Amino acid sequence: MPDLNDIKVKRILKKINSKYEPIYIPVVSESYALLNECFPNVEKKVKLDGGSIVFGWQIWKTPLICEAEFHGIWKSHDGNLLDITPKNPHVESILFIQDDNVLYNGAQIDNIRINNTDNPLVNDIIDIHKALFRIRNKGDRAFVYKSTLKGEEARVYRNLESFGSILQNYIYQGGQINAHCFCGSGYLYTDCHRRELDSLILRSKSF
Ligand SMILES: [Zn+2]
């Protein structure tokens, strides 16, 4: 569970810039609730039990990235807040900050991510996440939870995904922007596969 005094958590909260205070919310999932699909889950809960939906951000940390995901929780008539959406793996509670600045219209909203390390190479992973989101949610696809990609878009998407997992392993093994590239060419990453990443990201913007 992310610590409110953690410097990276403070930075991501600053980025969100909400007037509310971050709070820990218990996770008590409903039997009908689907994994990660918070908005339809809470909508159903409101129909069955009343109350309302509260929009905001769920915050967590992985070894490389500190992340905020746009999220909906349930507020009861008497003001109790509950996260009714199951997670995998299960957690007892989440760190959440309400935010009224983002208008949710059914279109997917990308996570906010910051580098959780001192290694600038992690920023390349963050750029890959942005590019994947861009492709996955282009045009009308933004309104579809899981969309199917075809042709060149699917190819670039797969390449970005596998680049991301190779890069992650490279970082865990001590990889740096100015160290020898993971491919074994003998060139520095920045003069080798970094260029391939740049062209994949450029492609993701061209669709
Ligand atoms: Zn290379």
Side-chain angles (χ1 to χ4, degrees):
M1 174 113 59
D3 183 345
L4 282 172
N5 294 314
D6 183 294
I7 189 136
K8 304 287 181 181
V9 172
K10 282 185 174 173
R11 264 189 59 205
I12 208 154
L13 287 169
K14 201 172 172 191
K15 249 186 146 163
I16 293 169
N17 192 26
S18 161
K19 64 179 181 190
Y20 295 92
E21 289 296 318
I23 36 174
Y24 293 102
I25 306 281
V27 179
V28 182
S29 52
E30 290 290 352
S31 54
Y32 52 79
L34 302 169
L35 196 68
N36 300 329
E37 302 209 35
C38 57
F39 306 119
N41 289 343
V42 178
E43 209 171 292
K44 187 161 181 182
K45 174 87 175 161
V46 170
K47 263 185 201 145
L48 293 171
D49 302 330
S52 59
I53 188 165
V54 173
F55 293 108
W57 302 87
Q58 177 185 341
I59 294 158
W60 73 87
K61 277 174 68 167
T62 66
L64 301 183
I65 292 170
C66 184
E67 199 154 0
E69 180 181 15
F70 197 64
H71 191 55
I73 62 169
W74 180 70
K75 187 179 188 176
S76 70
H77 280 305
D78 42 12
N80 283 328
L81 297 170
L82 216 53
D83 189 1
I84 60 149
T85 300
K87 333 260 168 213
N88 188 20
H90 172 74
V91 289
E92 296 294 322
S93 58
I94 58 161
L95 179 57
F96 179 84
I97 183 164
Q98 187 172 344
D99 185 4
D100 305 333
N101 298 325
V102 185
L103 289 177
Y104 179 69
N105 65 353
Q108 299 288 317
I109 292 168
D110 198 7
N111 293 5
I112 300 170
R113 301 176 182 88
I114 61 170
N115 191 336
N116 194 30
T117 74
D118 299 324
N119 188 347
L121 200 48
V122 173
N123 297 332
D124 283 10
I125 293 203
I126 293 176
D127 288 344
I128 290 172
H129 282 298
K130 277 187 203 154
L132 289 171
F133 180 87
R134 190 180 298 126
I135 300 173
R136 208 165 54 233
N137 294 287
K138 188 178 175 278
D140 288 345
R141 287 200 295 257
F143 295 91
V144 184
Y145 181 61
K146 277 176 186 149
S147 39
T148 334
L149 300 172
K150 287 182 197 140
E152 179 66 1
E153 285 179 324
R155 193 189 65 81
V156 172
Y157 194 88
R158 277 197 309 271
N159 287 351
L160 278 164
E161 270 186 327
S162 76
F163 201 110
S165 62
I166 291 168
L167 200 54
Q168 186 170 314
N169 289 334
Y170 178 58
I171 290 167
Y172 282 136
Q173 286 158 21
Q176 299 281 338
I177 283 176
N178 287 311
H180 286 134
C181 189
F182 52 75
C183 69
S185 66
Y187 292 106
L188 303 182
Y189 167 76
T190 188
D191 298 323
C192 188
H193 267 79
R194 180 67 169 290
R195 294 187 179 180
E196 185 176 319
L197 178 59
D198 283 344
S199 79
L200 280 171
I201 288 173
L202 213 60
R203 287 294 284 137
S204 80
K205 291 177 180 167
S206 73
F207 296 130

